[in-house]
Amino acid sequence: MAAVRGSRRRSRPTVVRGSTRPTSRDVAQAAGVSQAAVSLVLGDKWRGRVSEATAERVREAARDLGYRPNLAARNLRLGRTRTVLLVVPALTTEFFAGVYTGAARVAAEHGFGVVLYPSPEGIGPARDPFASAQAALDGVIASSMAADALTAIRGEALPLVMLDSDPDGSLGAATVNLDIADGVRQAAAHLLALGHRRFLHLAADVPSWTFEIRARELAARLSQVPGTSVRTARAPISIEGAQAATQTALSESAARPTAVICDDDKLAAGAYKAARRLGLRIPDDLSVTGLDDLALATAIDPELTTVRLDAELFGERGMGALLAVLEGREPESGDIPVQLVVRSSTAPPR
């Protein structure tokens, strides 16, 4: 009986190491199907055209033979490079590393590669990193960039997805955003509930839509509560710049703010240093909030109350949107939710 069962099994193809590279014809022969069926299965277009059993037989034959599709030839046929450019303002920021990780993960699942390219400050214009980006790329994802910074790279031909960008003024085929406005509302509501009424907004000195949204939303939320006041100090996104701006703002205030709302966790770290220089204790004399939830947020003491942004999910959604554009589908809609993480840097004012 065992011999009968064994005779019904498809014998595995013999793999000769060092022989010529196996072809789709070899896979078709080993699986007992046509080359067209092999193409459908390995191109993930088999559903509704061949059976699940046939698809599995093709995949098994390809594995046994060590077959790998000739991507260069396929891309040449399709007129695609299967390469995406991710443009970010800087490579030294943990947040953008997360965006890249998420984008690259989704890209790899669909046979795409991601090239990371920095354009300092994000206000360009960014130089085309290729002899011809339109020949080298299938699309561009731009994170926290001014749209006009990308003119030289994408011309008029490359699909563009904008991350962290004004959806009303975007030049991209799709826009993906975190719900930054809600994050600011959560931070403000937390401080108001603690009893704070005098605020310092430590704002990033960067001409970007995302930072304009933070300032506008904060002013709108605080204006709803009688007796509140807010002043703004601008600083570059650096600990040193934030320290200087905060120290000046707190020293010049007749009625010192009891809470500092920062556009970024690095700015919050600078606010910490300024407070200590002025002999102020956090959170006893001054509450501080950030935005990002970088590793820095739990490295400083006391640990920082901040708004968590899921950078990897942001990158995943951005890559997903570009794939949808390339395939003629509608990208997923809706902003990505964010979450306030309450730690030890906030407390009721004295």
Side-chain angles (χ1 to χ4, degrees), residues 258-335:
T258 61
V260 183
I261 298 181
C262 303
D263 276 355
D264 178 275
D265 288 354
K266 287 179 73 174
L267 296 181
Y272 270 48
K273 294 188 74 172
R276 290 197 171 95
R277 287 282 180 91
L278 295 171
L280 302 174
R281 291 175 300 172
I282 298 172
D284 300 5
D285 303 311
L286 191 69
S287 286
V288 180
T289 65
L291 201 149
D292 270 344
D293 199 23
L294 305 176
L296 176 67
T298 53
I300 55 180
D301 186 31
E303 294 188 356
L304 180 66
T305 294
T306 186
V307 176
R308 177 173 295 159
L309 309 181
D310 192 332
E312 290 193 21
L313 178 58
F314 199 24
E316 289 176 4
R317 281 277 299 273
M319 189 66 213
L322 183 58
L323 290 171
V325 170
L326 291 172
E327 295 168 7
R329 295 183 287 106
E330 191 70 27
E332 183 178 350
S333 61
D335 291 346

Side-chain angles (χ1 to χ4, degrees), residues 113-240:
V114 178
V115 176
L116 187 60
Y117 180 61
S119 175
E121 306 303 327
I123 53 178
R127 184 177 59 83
D128 187 342
F130 305 98
S132 171
Q134 294 179 34
L137 301 169
D138 284 335
V140 177
I141 302 172
S143 182
S144 309
M145 303 286 294
D148 58 6
L150 304 165
T151 305
I153 293 176
R154 66 179 292 263
E156 297 300 324
L158 285 175
L160 169 66
V161 169
M162 299 291 289
L163 309 184
D164 208 17
S165 177
D166 183 358
D168 296 326
S170 175
L171 299 178
T175 304
V176 178
N177 282 320
L178 296 152
D179 198 347
I180 294 292
D182 184 55
V184 172
R185 286 193 293 268
Q186 290 182 48
H190 170 66
L191 292 169
L192 287 167
L194 290 173
H196 292 278
R197 294 298 181 267
R198 298 195 304 273
F199 296 88
L200 172 65
H201 178 206
L202 187 56
D205 193 13
V206 178
S208 169
W209 172 83
T210 186
F211 294 119
E212 292 171 4
I213 283 292
R214 297 168 207 215
R216 188 163 69 232
E217 199 59 45
L218 179 62
R221 180 67 184 88
L222 296 182
S223 69
Q224 297 172 1
V225 180
T228 60
S229 63
V230 58
R231 64 171 298 180
T232 300
R234 298 192 175 279
I237 302 181
S238 71
I239 294 175
E240 295 75 14

Side-chain angles (χ1 to χ4, degrees), residues 25-76:
R25 180 177 296 177
D26 297 327
V27 175
Q29 184 176 0
V33 299
S34 67
Q35 278 187 268
V38 171
S39 179
L40 288 172
V41 173
L42 299 184
D44 201 27
K45 297 178 180 178
W46 59 271
R47 293 170 183 82
R49 301 185 185 186
V50 301
S51 69
E52 172 71 50
T54 298
E56 179 53 35
R57 204 159 69 242
V58 169
R59 287 191 290 263
E60 185 181 353
R63 284 194 300 269
D64 290 342
L65 287 168
Y67 173 74
R68 295 289 182 273
N70 188 333
L71 292 179
R74 183 180 69 177
N75 293 341
L76 216 55

